[in-house]
Amino acid sequence: QVQLVESGGGSVQAGGSLTLSCAVSGDISGYMSSCVGWFRQAPGQGREWVASISVGETTYYANSVRGRFFVSRDNAKHTLEMNSLRPGDTAMYYCAADRRRPYCTAFPEVTVFQYWGQGTQVTVSA
């Protein structure tokens, strides 16, 4: 089992930056051989994929965040650096891990990931 806990959310003005972290416990070796990623969910919306990073550190980004958000991983943690934030980025952000494969693909479905954190809120004001 892999347990994930997000941190780093908060409220910022448009144009600001935040860095989210996802701390891992439990099956650390399993996590280190997993594709990991970030999703977000705005009120009344479905859960939307944001970014993923493979074991080999190949990264993938949704079109809406490419060039502004950057995902990285280091042992038992992965992070999402968010820059030039917009009101449209307001959402609950979730980290996730897919224990079944080390290499991610772009535009994954929510159901691909088995392990999820509880979420951290990001609010961007105009």
Side-chain angles (χ1 to χ4, degrees):
Q1 292 287 327
V2 174
Q3 291 81 45
L4 306 175
V5 178
E6 302 94 339
S7 62
S11 297
V12 295
Q13 291 191 323
S17 298
L18 283 173
T19 296
L20 307 183
S21 293
C22 181
V24 182
S25 60
D27 183 7
I28 301 297
S29 62
Y31 166 83
M32 292 178 68
S33 61
S34 300
C35 162
V36 297
W38 291 91
F39 286 73
R40 65 186 182 186
Q41 188 166 15
Q45 303 289 322
R47 195 164 292 190
E48 173 192 27
W49 171 71
V50 174
S52 298
I53 182 167
S54 298
V55 168
E57 302 194 5
T58 300
T59 55
Y60 302 86
Y61 297 97
N63 293 335
S64 59
V65 306
R66 185 175 292 112
R68 299 188 299 123
F69 290 14
F70 300 95
V71 60
S72 60
R73 65 188 299 168
D74 180 17
N75 294 329
K77 182 179 71 173
H78 62 282
T79 63
L80 184 68
E81 177 185 340
M82 305 185 296
N83 302 306
S84 301
L85 283 162
R86 306 165 179 169
D89 295 318
T90 294
M92 185 73 78
Y93 283 71
Y94 299 89
C95 63
D98 178 5
R99 179 67 181 87
R100 294 173 294 190
R101 59 187 182 132
Y103 302 110
C104 307
T105 56
F107 309 106
E109 297 292 333
V110 169
T111 53
V112 165
F113 293 82
Q114 301 88 49
Y115 300 105
W116 294 85
Q118 81 290 348
T120 186
Q121 178 66 38
V122 171
T123 302
V124 185
S125 57

